[in-house]
Amino acid sequence: MLDLAKRLLTASKRSDVPPFIVMDVMAAAAALEAQGAHVLHLEVGQPAAPAPATALRAAQAALAHGRIGYTETLGIPSLRARIARHYADTYDLALDPARVVVTTGSSGGFILAFLALFEPGERVALANPGYPPYRHILTALGCEPVLIETSAATRWALSAKALIAEHRKKPITGLVVASPANPTGTMMDAAALAQLIASAEAEGIRVISDEIYHGLDYAFPAETAAKLSPRAVVINSFSKYFCMTGWRIGWMVVPEPLTRAVERLQGNLAISVPTLAQVAAEAAFDGRDEMEAVKHGYEENRRILTEGLPKAGLDKFLPVDGAFYLYADISKFSGDSLQFAKRMLEEAHVAATPGIDFDPVNGHNFLRFCYAGSAADMRAAVERIGGWLARR
Ligand SMILES: Cc1ncc(COP(=O)(O)O)c(C=O)c1O
């Protein structure tokens, strides 16, 4: 009887994926704040600013109107057309709106893309370090994530050479690239991205490009994979540039022959994406001036950290090209990023994310700082870290 009850209450093996450690850091920070501490939050990767005023107004008007019903499975046609226009405006790419799929954040896009492209058991290459849910979603769907080490030689991006070497050992079916990347904040230039995509496709490896941090590029303009290959699947989101994390809205650009498969999947999994978020997202494109001002704030924060952290003692970090992350090497102080982050939080009241969240191999030597907060917080964080490291 006990055995039967246990069986009824046991979670599936595929659901046994690791949690996000950053959530534990947030919980520890909240506990300190409950005791009256003033914690500086550089751990969570989300903008402090709200959605553009244009988006908020459109959502309020839609609410006042009354009924919020389902929409077309692939998204409201005018939003899909507006997203397609964004490709013409930003990348000089004529994109058929029929290839645009509106999703519940880029997170929803990954599930659709992985289901539409891969069979269970297939191997999908990911850069290490990288965004943990790529590997955890793949695992939950029965695919095998294959972590490929990166190095300074390729600006911490996955290289074609390393990809093909792994493919020769055992065939790889897919590749996820991200530029700008999380947690490193590094970018691939257009030539490097084009070469990687061409090398992958020449071997029959399907490419998914996570472009969620496009728009937040400081070193050089980010190129879309959609321009480099009509076969690439692009995933993007309103969460970061448009400051709409909680609205849960994103999009994909899908090769035309795959759109029907994605439509069938989304129709069954979600019916459609939340209508209010779609209305707000379409209006968000009219709020670009406001978002550019937010981006300039990140640029200032980036300057404060890249100049201030070396003076505070953290003088080794990866190129801070884009997104709003700085990935700092802490190995001269500690080889245990979890412990280091814990002590920095408890003793200096600065929250950052331990690298082990993003890199099971070398993450113990790194901390990720998110600079999407205020300039005052960045200055205070540099001060506190400097004082704390000097006292250690
Ligand atoms: C690289 C990367 N991709 C995807 C996501 C998921 O974002 P969302 O589902 O809000 O679009 C994140 C969130 O932090 C991210 O850093």
Side-chain angles (χ1 to χ4, degrees), residues 330 333-334 336-344 367 388:
I330 55 158
F333 297 104
S334 167
D336 182 345
S337 58
L338 185 59
Q339 245 347 80
F340 189 84
K342 225 171 135 187
R343 285 195 56 190
M344 193 171 80
L367 271 196
W388 176 66

Side-chain angles (χ1 to χ4, degrees), residues 166-183:
E166 188 61 46
H167 182 58
R168 295 276 176 267
K169 278 191 234 159
K170 194 172 169 196
I172 301 255
T173 314
L175 160 69
V176 180
V177 291
S179 168
N182 178 8

Side-chain angles (χ1 to χ4, degrees), residues 90-156:
T90 309
Y91 308 102
D92 194 23
L93 173 69
L95 182 69
D96 182 351
R99 292 183 55 200
V100 175
V101 178
V102 178
T103 60
T104 46
S106 65
S107 303
F110 292 124
I111 297 168
L112 293 172
F114 295 163
L115 283 170
L117 298 186
F118 308 129
E119 304 295 346
E122 287 188 334
R123 284 160 43 90
V124 179
L126 308 169
N128 191 49
Y131 178 60
Y134 300 146
R135 54 181 200 271
H136 300 157
I137 298 171
L138 283 165
T139 304
L141 295 178
C143 298
E144 185 189 338
V146 179
L147 300 188
I148 299 190
E149 286 307 310
T150 59
S151 72
T154 54
R155 224 177 170 82
W156 304 93

Side-chain angles (χ1 to χ4, degrees), residues 45 105-107 110 131 134 182 210 212-213 237 239-240 248 325:
S106 65
S107 303
F110 292 124
Y131 178 60
Y134 300 146
N182 178 8
D210 179 0
I212 185 169
Y213 292 104
S237 175
S239 287
K240 309 293 169 152
R248 309 309 303 128
Y325 302 117

Side-chain angles (χ1 to χ4, degrees), residues 46-65:
Q46 72 171 338
T54 51
L56 298 176
R57 275 199 299 272
Q60 277 156 356
L63 267 183
H65 205 66

